[in-house]
Amino acid sequence: MAATTTLTINDLEVQFSLSGLDNVVIIVGSTLSGNDAGSEAHLNRRFIIATPDPSSFIPFTDLTESNVANFVKATDSYTTVLQKLTSIIEEQKQSPITGMEPLPWEP
């Protein structure tokens, strides 16, 4: 079963003026969480967002959480972070190969 992931937007850093656009999101602070069969992990990351095309620019006051999540998912680093999260969860699901046991001669 694949991990279920959630992207939570924590904060936005804007550049007040960029290429004739106002309040352009340049960095998104977020937490990427994942869960698979009770094994879970959380990674906090800051994603650098590409400069938007002026023809498809969404004014800051009109942004939705979904818009910003899509900005993050469009970055090259999102896939890398998602793979790292999945790897951490998979490691947690593995049976341990070492551990402590009580002394066999003690009750």
Side-chain angles (χ1 to χ4, degrees):
M1 182 177 173
T4 302
T5 60
T6 304
L7 178 66
T8 303
I9 307 301
N10 300 326
D11 59 75
L12 303 175
E13 184 175 332
V14 299
Q15 185 161 338
F16 297 126
S17 182
L18 178 66
S19 301
L21 305 172
D22 294 329
N23 296 323
V24 178
V25 175
I26 57 171
I27 297 177
V28 176
S30 64
T31 302
L32 185 59
S33 304
N35 187 317
D36 188 359
S39 295
E40 62 181 52
H42 309 278
L43 295 173
N44 293 317
R45 291 291 186 272
R46 298 187 66 73
F47 293 92
I48 298 171
I49 305 303
T51 302
D53 179 336
S55 66
S56 60
F57 177 71
I58 302 168
F60 186 81
T61 55
D62 294 339
L63 287 174
T64 64
E65 187 173 5
S66 178
N67 295 139
V68 177
N70 287 334
F71 297 165
V72 170
K73 292 175 182 177
T75 65
D76 292 336
S77 57
Y78 177 76
T79 301
T80 303
V81 174
L82 188 59
Q83 289 171 342
K84 181 171 179 63
L85 180 75
T86 303
S87 175
I88 291 168
I89 292 170
E90 285 302 315
E91 285 177 24
Q92 290 178 0
K93 289 172 44 179
Q94 301 303 315
S95 297
I97 58 172
T98 63
M100 300 299 291
E101 291 286 340
L103 298 173
W105 56 87
E106 291 187 1

